Amino acid sequence: MDDPTPDGDSPPALRRIRQLFLHLYHPSPPSPSSTAGEGQLVALPCGSRERKVAAVSVAELAQYMRGRHREIQDRVFEFFRSRADLQTPVEISTADHRELCMRQLTALVRDAGIRPFRCVLEDPSLYFAISEAVGGIDISLGIKMGVQYSLWGGSVMNLGTKKHRDKYFDGIDNLDYPGCFAMTELHHGSNVQGLQTTATFDPVTDEFVINTPNNGAIKWWIGNAAVHGKFATVFAKLILPLQGMGGGSADMGVHAFIVPIRDLKTHSVLPGIEINDCGHKIGLNGVDNGALRFHSVRIPRDNLLNRFGDVSRDGKYTSSLPSINKRFAATLGELVGGRVGLAYSSVGVLKIAVTIAVRYSLLRQQFGPPRQPEVSILDYQSQQHKLMPMLASAYAFHFATLYLVDQYSEMKKSHDDEAVSDVHALSAGLKAYITSYTAKSLSTCREACGGHGYAAVNRFGTLRNDHDIFQTFEGDNTVLLQQVAIDLLKQYKEKFQGGTLTATWSYLRESMASYLSQPNPLTARWEREDHLRDPKFQLDAFRYRTSRLLQTVAVRLQKHAKKLGGFGAWNRCLNHLLTLAESHIESVILGKFINCVQSCSDDNTRHVLKLVCDLYALDRIWNYIGTYRNDDYVAPNKAKAIHKLTEYLSFQVRGIARELVDAFDFPDYVTRAPIGMSSEAYSHYTQYVGF
């Protein structure tokens, strides 16, 4: 039988015989111990799977996971462990939490001698490591630190010039100049170009006049504004009088301005400025969010952060960038570090949550076989299904965000246009995908821990509420995914015009070719474990799905644009575009995970990571099995094999789950939840309630 491929013109009986042949036929080479020749039917023993995972060296695995900056994180943990006065209690009022959060940040900088702001400029990867550790102490503290140094400080350093750095660096660094990042307005958040606050140049006094023209332009949700901030970077339309068409005013687009909002000595609100408190929030109540209204507030011309555009004494505008859109893109591009930090910190939150849930699930025993001891709830397949793919995802996200931080750090050094574009899209996608996944996982972890997961002391409620806004600030996740989709479509166009694809997207050239060809009916039926656990099969499957989604949405957009126009076509295909972006990010995450597995020099650690990576990959493939079946990329027998193997890998990972969470290397002081303690969990819990 030379051609085992089913032939649509063959009689039904012959087609059934060929289908049976394909089900039994394994064209991959036999193992060295096999005596069967190539192309022969091979009987596979039912017990061929490896039943036991090698013992895990937690020390080796933790060392491989740590990265370069574990020492500074240990300093943060030890400092706060030694200061009982700085520990956040389970129950605390909003006002007290805000004051505690400010004291925590001040103590970190002035008592512990850790200066995050210098890291923002000199070594971003070190800054993100500090941010993750600080977020482990209190997520509110991590966000307040980010507002001060990454947003307020970062905007001054990245959007300003030498005169701004010389004037403000020390005060921002030592917290003499606590500040805000005033971009969002009541009516506009994601659409930054739609901001309505104005900064009108007055050539007579050489000043800008900052004004809030209506209630919709009130700056809203501004961190540090309600209580502690003394300055704000205010984003406003730069208006030049008499320089527009017909002698009218010229709108030069959104620019950033340094605006003092409180007196440096008395802390009184300055004239012309209204500040109100946004009030109690769902979470992050250690951060004092406020609303700002400006009534013709005058600031010196030098307070324009003028890296990308400047106004001379006589009111003339100059810029190295030719258009409003290019200046706007350059401005926002310099603020991408916030997204990098949120993606990185979100992984830290996921690690803490999954550590608590796994340790409790190993400890908690319920039911069991008749007349035998009760079993750990993590021995139940349903609990494994909830938590083991999540644990694998935490590992995958860890390596992906380490890569993102490295790419961001290199971009800040090189300022290469291609690197800037790549990091912009990668940070948008990873921030959106990881924070959404973590948000869902926090609820799953709470449910997996039953009633005890509902106790505030066991932290799931606080983690869930504090993390929830990660999906919104620094770019709404739905908007960020659309940015990824836009870049994918640009790369798709480049592919067919013969252009060079940037680093993150380079796989599209090969995988698009694979998609445009017909699926191989042989490989669609291969179901052997060694094939399903082959990184090439896994990555090809991820990339095939992305390419399929990209090709089909491009066709749909072109078709709908003829009747609906560009905006209408985009909206008609929006869910398709979001799925495309998520699929691409999953491909990137898996690719980085595979690279890190293969780069691990310790055989035992590499074996453990390979198991975790296989679970991550096959769980995702199974989640989208309908897509693969519809395209005949995966035959029914192979789909069933993927499902069975995914469940089996979850069972195997359960066997080393304790070691995998221990390798995250969180001290009990950071985990804090009594049910998530590394030992004597029930004793900690009963002591907490008073027994």
Side-chain angles (χ1 to χ4, degrees), residues 50-80:
E50 180 185 356
R51 290 291 172 184
K52 187 176 181 181
V53 181
V56 180
S57 169
V58 173
E60 288 283 352
L61 182 55
Q63 183 62 38
Y64 190 66
M65 294 281 288
R66 278 176 180 171
R68 302 191 305 274
H69 302 303
R70 181 62 187 193
E71 183 179 345
I72 192 72
Q73 293 185 318
D74 287 339
R75 277 183 61 193
V76 172
F77 294 151
E78 180 56 30
F79 173 74
F80 282 101

Side-chain angles (χ1 to χ4, degrees), residues 51 75 85 89 108 223 273 348 431 437 444 447 517 569 619 623:
R51 290 291 172 184
R75 277 183 61 193
D85 61 309
L108 178 75
I273 296 173
K431 183 268 184 186
Y437 184 92
T444 301
E447 294 163 15
S517 62
D619 178 69
N623 286 343

Side-chain angles (χ1 to χ4, degrees), residues 432-586:
Y433 185 85
I434 290 172
T435 58
S436 291
Y437 184 92
T438 298
K440 295 180 180 72
S441 297
L442 288 166
S443 289
T444 301
C445 285
R446 205 293 301 158
E447 294 163 15
C449 293
H452 294 316
Y454 197 62
V457 70
N458 288 322
R459 300 201 62 203
F460 291 122
T462 301
L463 290 172
R464 181 175 59 193
N465 291 347
D466 285 350
H467 176 275
D468 192 64
I469 194 63
F470 280 41
Q471 300 174 93
T472 302
F473 58 24
E474 292 300 310
D476 177 88
N477 284 358
T478 302
V479 175
L480 293 183
L481 288 174
Q482 289 179 73
Q483 293 180 10
V484 176
I486 289 169
D487 277 353
L488 278 163
L489 289 164
K490 288 180 180 176
Q491 296 293 330
Y492 176 79
K493 184 178 179 181
E494 285 288 321
K495 178 203 181 302
F496 286 103
Q497 292 180 346
T500 302
L501 277 68
T502 55
T504 303
W505 323 89
S506 57
Y507 73 85
L508 286 172
R509 188 177 301 281
E510 181 179 343
S511 57
M512 282 299 300
S514 172
Y515 168 70
L516 292 171
S517 62
Q518 291 297 313
N520 186 327
L522 281 178
T523 57
R525 289 166 174 79
W526 289 355
E527 58 180 88
R528 286 178 55 164
E529 183 174 330
D530 57 351
H531 166 65
L532 298 180
R533 297 186 67 174
D534 184 343
K536 185 178 187 311
F537 158 70
Q538 296 165 1
L539 202 51
D540 282 350
F542 274 50
R543 291 173 170 178
Y544 173 86
R545 179 170 177 264
T546 303
S547 297
R548 175 188 183 277
L549 289 164
L550 179 55
Q551 164 72 12
T552 52
V553 82
V555 171
R556 288 186 65 207
L557 285 168
Q558 189 175 37
K559 183 184 80 170
H560 290 304
K562 295 175 182 177
K563 290 185 177 180
L564 303 176
F567 182 86
W570 187 268
N571 194 36
R572 176 68 65 87
C573 300
L574 185 52
N575 290 334
H576 191 159
L577 290 159
L578 298 176
T579 303
L580 163 65
E582 289 176 337
S583 178
H584 166 68
I585 292 301
E586 287 178 331

Side-chain angles (χ1 to χ4, degrees), residues 552-625:
T552 52
V553 82
V555 171
R556 288 186 65 207
L557 285 168
Q558 189 175 37
K559 183 184 80 170
H560 290 304
K562 295 175 182 177
K563 290 185 177 180
L564 303 176
F567 182 86
W570 187 268
N571 194 36
R572 176 68 65 87
C573 300
L574 185 52
N575 290 334
H576 191 159
L577 290 159
L578 298 176
T579 303
L580 163 65
E582 289 176 337
S583 178
H584 166 68
I585 292 301
E586 287 178 331
S587 297
V588 172
I589 292 170
L590 178 60
K592 300 312 167 190
F593 199 175
I594 289 171
N595 289 344
C596 289
V597 172
Q598 295 173 343
S599 300
C600 182
S601 58
D602 180 74
D603 290 343
N604 184 61
T605 302
R606 186 172 61 254
H607 177 74
V608 169
L609 289 173
K610 176 67 168 64
L611 169 63
V612 177
C613 185
D614 288 341
L615 175 57
Y616 172 80
L618 291 173
D619 178 69
R620 293 304 194 283
I621 292 172
W622 174 249
N623 286 343
Y624 308 126
I625 200 66

Side-chain angles (χ1 to χ4, degrees), residues 151-439:
L151 296 181
W152 152 237
S155 62
V156 173
M157 296 300 116
N158 293 321
L159 302 180
T161 49
K162 184 178 184 298
K163 62 183 178 183
H164 302 108
R165 291 190 283 272
D166 291 344
K167 183 175 181 179
Y168 292 99
F169 179 89
D170 288 341
I172 295 171
D173 181 49
N174 63 24
L175 288 174
D176 284 344
Y177 293 170
C180 316
F181 184 81
M183 178 180 281
T184 298
E185 296 178 355
L186 179 61
H187 283 185
H188 287 90
S190 298
N191 182 14
V192 178
Q193 284 184 296
L195 297 180
Q196 299 177 68
T197 301
T198 58
T200 304
F201 182 63
D202 182 347
V204 176
T205 61
D206 197 26
E207 294 173 316
F208 286 103
V209 182
I210 310 297
N211 198 50
T212 303
N214 54 61
N215 285 347
I218 296 172
K219 295 295 183 181
W220 209 275
W221 293 124
I222 309 305
N224 269 357
V227 179
H228 298 123
K230 296 181 185 294
F231 294 87
T233 296
V234 175
F235 288 81
K237 292 180 178 179
L238 195 164
I239 306 297
L240 296 178
L242 307 177
Q243 296 195 27
M245 295 290 292
S249 297
D251 180 353
M252 307 309 295
V254 174
H255 288 63
F257 303 82
I258 296 174
V259 181
I261 60 174
R262 287 186 175 93
D263 187 275
L264 284 174
K265 294 181 179 179
T266 67
H267 204 61
S268 299
V269 177
L270 293 174
I273 296 173
E274 281 185 78
I275 303 178
N276 283 294
D277 197 324
C278 288
H280 187 78
K281 307 184 293 292
I282 289 174
L284 292 181
N285 282 299
V287 182
D288 51 312
N289 294 89
L292 300 170
R293 188 204 294 266
F294 304 99
H295 299 277
S296 299
V297 176
R298 290 180 172 269
I299 59 172
R301 178 170 54 89
D302 276 353
N303 283 27
L304 166 65
L305 294 172
N306 61 336
R307 178 179 171 189
F308 298 116
D310 203 1
V311 176
S312 64
R313 177 65 185 86
D314 60 357
K316 294 293 190 293
Y317 185 85
T318 57
S319 175
S320 59
L321 300 171
S323 68
I324 288 178
N325 286 340
K326 287 191 178 295
R327 291 193 294 271
F328 177 74
T331 298
L332 293 192
E334 285 300 318
L335 305 175
V336 74
R339 294 173 187 169
V340 177
L342 284 181
Y344 194 80
S345 296
S346 183
V347 179
V349 174
L350 178 62
K351 289 178 191 172
I352 290 173
V354 78
T355 295
I356 297 169
V358 165
R359 285 179 176 168
Y360 176 74
S361 296
L362 288 165
L363 172 72
R364 181 74 165 180
Q365 296 179 333
Q366 294 288 288
F367 307 109
R371 295 179 296 280
Q372 292 186 35
E374 291 185 302
V375 302
S376 160
I377 61 174
L378 198 54
D379 286 330
Y380 289 101
Q381 189 182 61
S382 56
Q383 194 80 342
Q384 293 169 16
H385 177 70
K386 289 177 184 176
L387 296 180
M388 295 304 95
M390 187 191 302
L391 177 55
S393 295
Y395 270 78
F397 298 166
H398 170 85
F399 291 117
T401 51
L402 283 182
Y403 170 77
L404 173 62
V405 166
D406 286 343
Q407 293 300 106
Y408 175 77
S409 299
E410 287 300 314
M411 179 205 79
K412 294 297 287 183
K413 293 176 186 175
S414 69
H415 298 287
D416 177 73
D417 288 343
E418 184 176 302
V420 170
S421 175
D422 206 35
V423 170
H424 175 76
L426 185 61
S427 63
L430 285 173
K431 183 268 184 186
Y433 185 85
I434 290 172
T435 58
S436 291
Y437 184 92
T438 298

